[in-house]
Amino acid sequence: MQSSGNKFVGLWQKLFGDPIRAFGVVSVLFLISLAIAPAKNRFSEWGHYQKGYVRLIRGRGEAVTLQRHFQSGIQQIWLPDLGVVDRCTTCHVGQKEASLIDVSTQPFRRHPVIPHTSEQMGCVICHRGQGPATTVEEAHRSTLAWEQPILPARYIESSCGQCHRAPLTGTPQLNEGHRLLTRYGCVHCHTVKQPDGNSLKATDDPPSLSHIADKTTRQWVFAWLKDPQAYAASATMPNFKLSDNDARDISAFLIANSTPIPDDTASNSSPAQKAAPDPTAGASLYGESFCASCHAVQNAAGNVVGGDVGPELTRIGTKAKPEWLQAWIRNPRIYDPGTEMPHYRFTDQQAAVLTGFLQAKADPDLLANVHLDAATPEQIAHGKTLVTEFGCASCHEISGIKKPENFAPELTRIGSKPSKQPRAFGAGLKMPQYSFNPAQIDALTTQLLSFTDRAQSVPNSLAVAATPASNYQPAGKAGQLMNDLACFSCHAINGRGGNMAPDLTWEGSSVQRKWLEDFLRNPNTLRPALIRRMPKFNLTNEEISTLSDYIMTVYQTPAFERDSMPESGYSSAQVEQGRQLFYSKYACQSCHIVDPKADKGYIGPTLTQVGARLNAAWIYHWMKNPQALRPGTGEPNRNMSDDDARGLTAFMMSQKGSGKQEAKK
């Protein structure tokens, strides 16, 4: 021990025994330390990739340009507003070089064309991963030091949703995920708070169960609870995998808890009547009423055909009691005041015929093995407990059951959940089984991954807000009529409503009064290629007059005066000029029909009687800029001159057509 100490003292004296020796030793150590940094860089991963990139570009024709663009060493993008330090371009050195389109090797290939540059957004905003890291392991994967793995490519659209709140043309998977999340009612149970403070709203319409005994039987409720998709393939209700006893008790509670429709409301309808069986008449009325625009049925091949606004009707005869179904067809608002189903104003005979047609759509096998004894008080009480535990009132109105608050985990920041903490998803899960296919699962995952911490804190300068939901409500008797006819189920007005039919916001500036009245009295088709049609609502002359007055007065654009151009009196020269423009310069017949014998355009509405339908001022301004009048329309903006627009207006206004001729066409 003494000898070791003496040796150490002797070594110290040799190295640092006097100032000159000490200075020399420290100088050598300093030089060694200076040499370590470049040596470390030389053998680092990112140094290896940069040398590989230099070798790659050396033999290319544009090598001089690429070499001039290349910068060695660690590259860094700093985005203080987003709290991002991004060093990804240290390895991905060729991502901005358009000439490297033929290179498929990573990390040297160019980045696909996107609306943003790496200088604006960096890489980790979209791809996630660890921006400050300088090794592949730490940059791309979840490690002991980092908790943000790189995002799989198939979910890349989720990153767009962090800034963009509204659907984007270039993100179909993200858009579909948003549709599924709201369409299947996920947000009835799970709260998703938007950065503006509002919560995401569901777009489905779960029926009230307060009067369910009027509508159906306990046996059907049992079968539905066991497997909703066995009744309707398109059902959005998930399968809770209930035992027979639990389904028995829930059905017992729902039927026992049901209350009749109030007498004063029910008295507004006539007693149910039976019609002689006539499948042809029922099918004809179903078709003429365009029920398939909203309701689907399964065809012989098992495919679900029709719209998805209303419930599937494949087995409606097994579900609905005949008296309820007939009362619903006569006036659905008696049972459900907020339904999207229009009040068709069917006669009692028509309602009976349509009821008979729908009652024939039955499946005896669905309830063949359902045998339920009379419910006991214990079963009813247990059913109520189950309804509360499973959160049924999150979606459905149920008498005596309060809508639960915070029933399921909040999903506002689900995209930032640490992957190493599976218990963050909750211990006592009651999540039911949905019937999503792999593509739908990917779409939903994409949407959920967009709900991140960053999405909640994106600066206003970068966030692209969605258009606020409109609560527009038309006034007076016309407003009551429009609600009764459920116009908003198909049409949008002032930002509220569906997209199945044309936007009516400026309809009063668009159409002529006589045409509007005739159309409301007996709707005809404007687009022969479309299956969906405006149904006939059997309106009275007074109702037609009320609606026409309101539409022509209220729904006008401030962009121009409706009556500023004449409806007739155009010279033959003007009409001929417009004809030449229509068929030659602008080739409008590619999408529209004026001459049914020669024109083949089935994309846009037919124009055979457009001069009796539209106002001249609307046609003129539409020719000048259709997007200004109806944003999103498929009609292109041709930057038309005033003279061309006037000529085409003259030609259009000459196409009057007659009712008989149009019907024949």
Side-chain angles (χ1 to χ4, degrees):
M1 194 73 178
Q2 179 92 26
S3 175
S4 299
N6 291 336
K7 288 180 180 179
F8 178 78
V9 171
L11 179 62
W12 181 266
Q13 288 295 329
K14 287 181 181 180
L15 296 176
F16 302 101
D18 58 66
I20 295 176
R21 290 181 187 179
F23 178 77
V25 171
V26 170
S27 298
V28 170
L29 292 174
F30 181 68
L31 290 173
I32 292 172
S33 67
L34 290 177
I36 288 175
K40 183 179 179 181
N41 288 346
R42 178 177 176 81
F43 296 104
S44 66
E45 273 189 300
W46 58 264
H48 167 75
Y49 286 125
Q50 288 188 358
K51 285 185 291 185
Y53 177 75
V54 171
R55 289 194 298 269
L56 171 73
I57 66 176
R58 191 173 291 153
R60 298 178 66 88
E62 71 279 20
V64 175
T65 301
L66 293 173
Q67 183 65 53
R68 187 171 65 250
H69 293 171
F70 170 68
Q71 292 181 333
S72 62
I74 293 179
Q75 307 300 310
Q76 179 170 290
I77 298 169
W78 181 41
L79 305 173
D81 289 345
L82 292 170
V84 167
V85 174
D86 196 319
R87 296 171 179 166
C88 301
T89 52
T90 302
C91 294
H92 295 270
V93 287
Q95 56 123 1
K96 293 189 291 184
E97 301 295 348
S99 66
L100 297 182
I101 190 171
D102 60 316
V103 175
S104 59
T105 307
Q106 278 287 37
F108 306 137
R109 67 186 184 203
R110 68 182 288 265
H111 197 288
V113 177
I114 56 173
H116 307 293
T117 66
S118 57
E119 287 80 7
Q120 291 174 312
M121 302 297 291
C123 300
V124 295
I125 295 294
C126 296
H127 295 279
R128 310 205 187 168
Q130 327 301 337
T134 56
T135 68
V136 173
E137 181 71 18
E138 290 188 338
H140 289 196
R141 299 178 181 90
S142 180
T143 68
L144 291 174
W146 307 95
E147 191 58 81
Q148 178 70 286
I150 200 167
L151 191 66
R154 72 177 187 272
Y155 302 133
I156 194 65
E157 290 179 16
S158 67
S159 297
C160 304
Q162 295 180 118
C163 297
H164 295 270
R165 318 298 185 206
L168 288 170
T169 304
T171 59
Q173 185 164 283
L174 178 64
N175 300 344
E176 174 65 3
H178 180 87
R179 188 191 73 84
L180 291 169
L181 194 69
T182 55
R183 166 70 176 163
Y184 281 79
C186 306
V187 292
H188 285 302
C189 294
H190 298 279
T191 299
V192 179
K193 292 179 181 175
Q194 305 290 71
D196 61 5
N198 296 317
S199 295
L200 204 59
K201 301 297 183 185
T203 57
D204 63 337
D205 185 22
S208 169
L209 304 181
S210 297
H211 314 298
I212 192 170
D214 286 353
K215 180 178 183 179
T216 191
T217 63
R218 183 185 170 200
Q219 285 73 19
W220 181 87
V221 174
F222 174 91
W224 170 264
L225 290 171
K226 287 291 294 179
D227 186 359
Q229 283 68 40
Y231 169 76
S234 61
T236 58
M237 167 96 167
N239 191 332
F240 281 82
K241 301 293 183 179
L242 297 169
S243 67
D244 287 352
N245 287 344
D246 285 352
R248 175 200 66 196
D249 294 352
I250 292 176
S251 64
F253 167 71
L254 292 176
I255 294 299
N257 191 58
S258 176
T259 58
I261 295 290
D263 292 339
D264 58 339
T265 306
S267 63
N268 292 330
S269 62
S270 304
Q273 61 174 275
K274 290 186 177 180
D278 188 349
T280 303
S284 177
L285 184 57
Y286 184 89
E288 291 171 0
S289 302
F290 299 107
C291 303
S293 294
C294 295
H295 297 280
V297 295
Q298 276 185 303
N299 59 21
N303 298 319
V304 178
V305 180
D308 64 354
V309 177
E312 183 183 324
L313 300 180
T314 305
R315 299 173 179 86
I316 185 64
T318 306
K319 172 185 179 181
K321 294 179 178 179
E323 57 273 17
W324 179 90
L325 185 57
Q326 189 165 337
W328 174 269
I329 290 171
R330 277 202 303 257
N331 188 355
R333 276 170 179 70
I334 291 177
Y335 185 85
D336 182 2
T339 180
E340 292 188 73
M341 172 91 168
H343 179 190
Y344 275 84
R345 290 154 172 74
F346 289 124
T347 65
D348 288 346
Q349 177 63 18
Q350 287 175 317
V353 168
L354 196 51
T355 299
F357 172 74
L358 294 174
Q359 282 295 133
K361 294 183 176 296
D363 181 2
D365 294 337
L366 184 72
L367 305 181
N369 297 318
V370 179
H371 305 288
L372 300 174
D373 296 328
T376 66
E378 293 76 18
Q379 291 171 350
I380 294 172
H382 183 235
K384 181 176 182 179
T385 300
L386 290 171
V387 164
T388 303
E389 289 180 351
F390 282 105
C392 303
S394 295
C395 296
H396 301 279
E397 178 184 303
I398 305 173
S399 297
I401 304 294
K402 185 181 178 182
K403 179 179 173 66
E405 300 291 337
N406 304 318
F407 177 75
E410 186 175 329
L411 300 181
T412 302
R413 300 172 186 266
I414 186 68
S416 291
K417 284 277 189 179
S419 60
K420 293 178 183 177
Q421 297 181 17
R423 296 227 171 181
F425 294 97
L429 298 178
K430 297 185 178 70
M431 179 81 170
Q433 179 65 52
Y434 285 87
S435 55
F436 296 128
N437 60 41
Q440 290 175 317
I441 291 172
D442 275 354
L444 271 169
T445 303
T446 300
Q447 171 70 93
L448 292 173
L449 284 170
S450 73
F451 301 145
T452 63
D453 295 334
R454 179 169 286 130
Q456 295 295 314
S457 59
V458 167
N460 292 334
S461 59
L462 295 176
V464 182
T467 303
S470 170
N471 60 356
Y472 167 71
Q473 177 61 48
K477 290 184 178 179
Q480 294 172 7
L481 269 173
M482 293 169 74
N483 287 332
D484 200 39
L485 297 172
C487 299
F488 290 102
S489 296
C490 300
H491 297 276
I493 308 175
N494 290 328
R496 175 194 167 195
N499 59 4
M500 190 188 302
D503 190 309
L504 301 181
T505 303
W506 309 131
E507 187 73 356
S509 294
S510 169
V511 300
Q512 298 179 32
R513 167 84 186 225
K514 183 180 184 307
W515 177 88
L516 178 61
E517 291 181 341
D518 291 343
F519 185 81
L520 291 173
R521 188 169 289 110
N522 187 21
N524 55 27
T525 177
L526 301 177
R527 296 175 182 265
L530 295 184
I531 297 174
R532 291 173 173 172
R533 298 282 188 271
M534 169 93 162
K536 183 177 180 180
F537 290 118
N538 304 303
L539 298 168
T540 66
N541 289 335
E542 182 182 358
E543 289 173 329
I544 290 172
S545 181
T546 298
L547 283 172
S548 298
D549 285 343
Y550 194 84
I551 290 172
M552 298 301 295
T553 303
V554 177
Y555 298 144
Q556 291 198 46
T557 174
F560 60 86
E561 170 56 43
R562 179 181 63 193
D563 301 320
S564 59
M565 297 181 71
E567 293 183 8
S568 59
Y570 295 95
S571 68
S572 57
Q574 288 176 305
V575 173
E576 182 56 31
Q577 177 199 5
R579 182 188 298 276
Q580 294 296 326
L581 292 168
F582 185 92
Y583 283 106
S584 298
K585 183 175 181 178
Y586 296 110
C588 305
Q589 75 277 13
S590 301
C591 296
H592 299 279
I593 294 174
V594 165
D595 182 354
K597 295 180 180 179
D599 301 341
K600 304 298 181 183
Y602 289 97
I603 298 174
T606 181
L607 303 177
T608 49
Q609 59 165 346
V610 66
R613 176 166 65 92
L614 297 180
N615 289 314
W618 175 272
I619 294 177
Y620 174 82
H621 287 278
W622 179 271
M623 296 297 176
K624 292 288 292 179
N625 187 357
Q627 304 290 337
L629 296 179
R630 195 160 288 164
T633 179
E635 179 83 14
N637 186 352
R638 302 176 184 273
N639 298 311
M640 199 176 290
S641 69
D642 293 350
D643 286 343
D644 283 2
R646 276 192 289 268
L648 278 166
T649 300
F651 177 61
M652 292 290 100
M653 294 308 296
S654 70
Q655 308 303 312
K656 300 294 185 182
S658 69
K660 292 182 179 179
Q661 289 175 333
E662 186 60 25
K664 190 174 181 181
K665 292 169 186 175

